[in-house]
Amino acid sequence: MKLAAKLTAFILTAMLLVFAVRGYQAAHRQMVIAETRARENSLLLGRALRPALVEIWSQEGSTLALEMLSYAADRVRRTQQLDLRFVRTSDGKGPGVQPLVRPERLAGLDLEEERVFVEKVAGNETLLTYLPVVVGNQQVGALEVSGPLTERDNEFRAEIMQILGRTALAALAAFIAVRSEERRVGKE
């Protein structure tokens, strides 16, 4: 291979590398945007439902409040990939179920604090949002909003596939250009 062909191959390889790195960064950025959207949606849903849960709990008791939450959870599940549960944040006494995160991760959950985690649940990365439920100045548990991050992962995979396709096309074009340059130089 002559010097000109080697130089062309080197430049095209460097360009492909830059192309691939920039593409990966774009895919990662899309993934972050999708996860941010999921976090906002989860918090918005929890913040919308929590006041109704607290009001019903205060006026009618925990049984009716948890029935309302169960009804809302069924409705939400039909339209979104989210699940709603009332979880215990204390020693295991009282209504509610165990949270999907380790209970110690919710220790010291402030009355106004909201916590968001990304954890593996049943083998899938899941966004877990916890909003404390306070009735009569006492925290009785937390509202757990959970949902798989499949949209985030699907967007990342789709972006990577586009990057691979564009990179393969650019590599083919580079290969053709180098071969063409080799032939041209060889005829001289």
Side-chain angles (χ1 to χ4, degrees), residues 61-74:
S62 63
T63 303
L64 194 57
L66 296 177
E67 285 177 15
M68 179 279 303
L69 182 62
S70 177
Y71 178 80
D74 287 340

Side-chain angles (χ1 to χ4, degrees), residues 139-169:
Q139 183 175 343
V140 294
L143 179 59
E144 177 186 76
V145 182
S146 63
L149 289 169
T150 52
E151 182 180 333
R152 176 201 72 175
D153 297 340
N154 290 341
E155 286 185 26
F156 182 74
R157 275 193 283 286
E159 191 73 27
I160 290 294
M161 293 308 290
Q162 287 180 2
I163 292 163
L164 290 174
R166 287 186 294 229
T167 302
L169 189 59

Side-chain angles (χ1 to χ4, degrees), residues 39 101 105-106 115-119 126-130:
R39 284 175 184 263
V101 297
R105 298 205 58 198
L106 295 179
R115 292 190 187 168
V116 180
F117 305 97
V118 174
E119 298 273 335
T126 303
L127 185 69
L128 301 166
T129 304
Y130 295 90

Side-chain angles (χ1 to χ4, degrees), residues 22-167:
R22 295 285 292 155
Y24 178 81
Q25 289 172 338
H28 184 30
R29 205 170 26 255
Q30 283 301 110
M31 192 171 92
V32 169
I33 290 169
E35 186 173 322
T36 300
R37 253 193 335 260
R39 284 175 184 263
E40 290 170 352
N41 189 33
S42 186
L43 282 167
L44 183 65
L45 179 62
R47 289 172 183 160
L49 284 173
R50 181 173 46 182
L53 181 65
V54 169
E55 182 66 24
I56 294 170
W57 193 303
S58 298
Q59 302 297 318
E60 305 292 333
S62 63
T63 303
L64 194 57
L66 296 177
E67 285 177 15
M68 179 279 303
L69 182 62
S70 177
Y71 178 80
D74 287 340
R75 297 289 180 227
V76 168
R77 246 183 255 112
R78 292 179 190 177
T79 59
Q80 302 180 40
Q81 286 188 330
L82 293 174
D83 194 22
L84 303 167
R85 302 182 328 144
F86 179 78
V87 298
R88 293 186 294 266
T89 55
S90 59
D91 57 8
K93 296 177 184 171
V97 295
Q98 288 286 45
L100 291 173
V101 297
R102 293 184 316 277
E104 60 268 12
R105 298 205 58 198
L106 295 179
L109 185 66
D110 188 280
L111 299 181
E112 298 297 320
E113 183 181 9
E114 300 164 339
R115 292 190 187 168
V116 180
F117 305 97
V118 174
E119 298 273 335
K120 284 254 188 214
V121 175
N124 298 315
E125 283 211 327
T126 303
L127 185 69
L128 301 166
T129 304
Y130 295 90
L131 301 97
V133 175
V134 179
V135 177
N137 292 329
Q138 179 185 358
Q139 183 175 343
V140 294
L143 179 59
E144 177 186 76
V145 182
S146 63
L149 289 169
T150 52
E151 182 180 333
R152 176 201 72 175
D153 297 340
N154 290 341
E155 286 185 26
F156 182 74
R157 275 193 283 286
E159 191 73 27
I160 290 294
M161 293 308 290
Q162 287 180 2
I163 292 163
L164 290 174
R166 287 186 294 229
T167 302

